[in-house]
Amino acid sequence: MTPTLFITGANRGIGLALTELYLEHGWQVIACCRFPGSAPHLMTLKNRYTTLSTHALDVTDHAAVQQLATELSDVPIHLLINNAGLYGPKGYAFGEVDTATWRDVLEVNTIAPLVIAEHFTPHLIKARHSGHTPIFAFLSSKVGSMSDNQSGGGYIYRSSKAALNAVIKSLSIDLRDQGIRAVALHPGWVQTQMGGPNALINAQESAQGLKQVLDTLTDSQNGSFIDYQGKEIGW
């Protein structure tokens, strides 16, 4: 069976790089973003690969997530990468936190990933006996690590990723008996719209590292927080 990747936020940056990388390795890819038709690089890949399908999806629209899961109900998914994320405002200080924006970031970074997992777990269960242990992979961030926080600030993004890590840890326990692994991944500081031009690596380097981590993920790493170089990060 040809393995299938389902990925969110596939229109640019790390999501686009992962989409292209898995296509190059012969996977079927179901790529989701809010406006696929407005993502020229993704459309170029769609014209090049018959193994790529695209779907319009706003991850905060829970009814749309449920509807897509229903449309794909017969499709075994071997790897689901939740890549869609929102940074929120930059440059604010203590005393200047926009709580309305904070809620928006939590909707995308913390709540949506769990909703997606709830609706797509049956698809991963279908893939259990294919030679690929099914995986929920969630793009987190090292800034969500409380033990690594030495600079303070960043209340909105930090807290959304720390909360996501808690979700992933519980998922890894709750889905273990169903043969599904769940892992939090730090992609590195990447030259994307979110990461900025001064970041240390490009999206392709990050994607290659993340794929290597996922290709070699073991049962003992289920529920771990791992960077793109395979190093475990403290919570």
Side-chain angles (χ1 to χ4, degrees), residues 39-207:
H41 297 298
L42 186 60
M43 291 299 100
T44 298
L45 290 178
K46 191 174 183 180
N47 291 332
R48 189 187 310 165
Y49 292 95
T50 59
T51 48
L52 172 62
S53 63
T54 59
H55 296 268
L57 182 67
D58 179 342
V59 296
T60 65
D61 184 341
H62 301 168
V65 171
Q66 183 176 15
Q67 181 179 344
L68 183 56
T70 300
E71 288 176 18
L72 301 173
S73 60
D74 293 332
V75 179
I77 293 175
H78 303 80
L79 172 61
L80 191 152
I81 299 179
N82 189 91
N83 166 72
L86 181 62
Y87 190 87
K90 298 181 180 180
Y92 63 91
F94 174 69
E96 301 171 349
V97 174
D98 182 335
T99 55
T101 302
W102 195 350
R103 291 185 183 95
D104 292 339
V105 173
L106 287 169
E107 281 283 351
V108 175
N109 293 358
T110 309
I111 298 171
L114 180 60
V115 172
I116 289 169
E118 287 176 338
H119 287 298
F120 281 91
T121 290
H123 304 69
L124 272 70
I125 290 174
K126 288 180 185 295
R128 285 184 302 185
H129 305 298
S130 62
H132 292 263
T133 300
I135 300 170
F136 276 119
F138 301 83
L139 268 289
S140 184
S141 173
K142 193 175 182 180
V143 300
S145 165
M146 286 177 273
S147 59
D148 186 71
N149 184 356
Q150 303 298 319
S151 60
Y155 295 97
I156 292 174
Y157 190 67
R158 282 191 193 278
S159 63
S160 73
K161 291 300 186 179
L164 174 64
N165 289 348
V167 166
I168 295 163
K169 184 64 178 179
S170 285
L171 268 182
S172 72
I173 296 166
D174 294 342
L175 300 181
R176 183 171 50 204
D177 290 345
Q178 299 187 58
I180 297 171
R181 295 173 181 154
V183 63
L185 298 175
H186 169 57
W189 186 17
V190 186
Q191 295 160 6
T192 61
Q193 189 176 63
M194 184 183 293
N198 297 322
L200 299 177
I201 60 172
N202 62 39
Q204 288 70 33
E205 291 174 275
S206 176

